[in-house]
Amino acid sequence: MKRTMAILARRQASPFIGQATAGLLLCSALLGLFGGVPAWAEANPPRPDKPLPEKASPAKPATPKPPVPTAPTTKPVAAQTAASAAPKPFVPLDQATAIQKANAYFSSAITMVGDFVQVGSDGRRTEGKLYVQRPGRLRFEYAAPATLEIVADGLSLAVHDRRTATKDVYFISQTPLKFLLKDQVDLAQDVKVVEVQSDPSAVTIIIEDKATFGGTSRINLVFDPVKFTLKQWKVTDPQGYETLVSLFNLDLTKKPDPALFQLTQDHL
């Protein structure tokens, strides 16, 4: 302080020390005296000539846009499965093909064992067992309470009624069942083919046989359209009476007992 005052005193003596230098020295002396920045200086900091630039706020990250869905290039699995499982369109059989298949079926069915249900023209229902041994042997064994038996032994066909104890015998050629009894079947040669009907449920071959007993009989042969196995037949006799026979559980491999086809009283 003393030194500062001395300098100030010399200012008055020396013209080389200007007013600015003296003021600066006085400020330095005052700062040293108070030991730091005075309170008025902290409360009132000097204003800068230019405003300080504002700090730039950090840029927000861009929100990614969701991908735009594109149309699938292939069909969904469910649609492909449905398309592959779609049933094939039905194609009806023509007459020649149906007859050829029927001939092949009858000629190859050497034996038959199965169940049958018969419905007469009066609506009465009977059932029983069917046995066939080609050529010429056949047996319809009716279940009780029916009393009929029909047996062919290779030459003749007998219809026996146990209730009345009567028996009618016919030549096999006179019966409408040639398709079950002949060794080799050719429907186009053996009978007259009237019509062939084909739909998804059945193939029906309608034939007429003029050689049956009493006149012309009409027979509808009904086949499974896929396996082409005989399902039923319907016989309309010369008097117009209809008999429908349906087959079930048909076995073409089982060989019947030959005794079933004997025209004796014990087997009728």
Side-chain angles (χ1 to χ4, degrees):
M1 185 68 178
K2 291 180 179 181
R3 182 181 178 184
T4 302
M5 297 304 293
I7 293 173
L8 290 175
R10 285 197 301 270
R11 173 202 176 268
Q12 297 176 355
S14 174
F16 299 103
I17 301 176
Q19 294 181 355
T21 304
L24 179 61
L25 292 174
L26 179 60
C27 289
S28 299
L30 292 174
L31 288 173
L33 179 64
F34 291 102
V37 180
W40 60 266
E42 292 182 344
N44 299 281
R47 294 182 179 180
D49 296 338
K50 295 182 180 180
L52 296 175
E54 296 182 359
K55 293 183 179 180
S57 58
K60 295 182 179 180
T63 304
K65 295 183 179 180
V68 179
T70 58
T73 57
T74 58
K75 294 182 179 180
V77 176
Q80 293 178 354
T81 304
S84 61
K88 295 181 179 179
F90 171 74
V91 179
L93 287 181
D94 60 87
Q95 179 168 308
T97 303
I99 293 174
Q100 181 182 10
K101 285 180 173 290
N103 290 341
Y105 172 79
F106 287 127
S107 298
S108 63
I110 305 301
T111 62
M112 292 184 185
V113 176
D115 303 314
F116 73 89
V117 174
Q118 176 177 308
V119 180
S121 57
D122 57 357
R124 187 169 54 181
R125 172 190 171 108
T126 54
E127 59 186 57
K129 296 287 292 185
L130 168 68
Y131 305 92
V132 175
Q133 176 72 59
R134 302 166 67 91
R137 294 171 176 82
L138 172 146
R139 183 181 186 93
F140 284 92
E141 192 171 272
Y142 290 81
T147 58
L148 284 179
E149 299 288 350
I150 300 176
V151 178
D153 65 352
L155 296 174
S156 304
L157 183 143
V159 180
H160 177 241
D161 189 335
R162 294 191 301 269
R163 182 177 61 84
T164 60
T166 58
K167 180 173 64 174
D168 298 321
V169 180
Y170 306 91
F171 291 113
I172 288 178
S173 60
Q174 293 178 301
T175 72
L177 301 178
K178 297 183 183 69
F179 57 89
L180 289 179
L181 298 174
K182 288 193 66 176
D183 187 15
Q184 294 294 322
V185 175
D186 187 342
L187 295 178
Q189 295 292 327
D190 300 336
V191 293
K192 177 184 177 181
V193 178
V194 177
E195 184 183 1
V196 172
Q197 301 171 354
S198 179
D199 59 50
S201 63
V203 176
T204 303
I205 302 177
I206 303 173
I207 59 177
E208 284 185 353
D209 189 354
K210 296 181 179 180
T212 56
F213 183 80
T216 301
S217 295
R218 174 169 287 205
I219 303 104
N220 292 18
L221 303 174
V222 183
F223 296 87
D224 180 277
V226 178
K227 299 179 180 179
F228 216 89
T229 53
L230 186 64
K231 298 198 310 181
Q232 64 180 205
W233 67 79
K234 182 177 71 173
V235 177
T236 305
D237 68 15
Q239 288 74 40
Y241 294 105
E242 294 183 349
T243 302
L244 177 66
V245 177
S246 300
L247 303 178
F248 303 94
N249 307 318
L250 202 59
D251 188 346
L252 303 183
T253 62
K254 188 174 182 180
K255 188 174 181 180
D257 183 355
L260 294 172
F261 310 117
Q262 296 178 7
L263 295 182
T264 62
Q265 193 64 35
D266 294 338
H267 293 89
L268 285 176

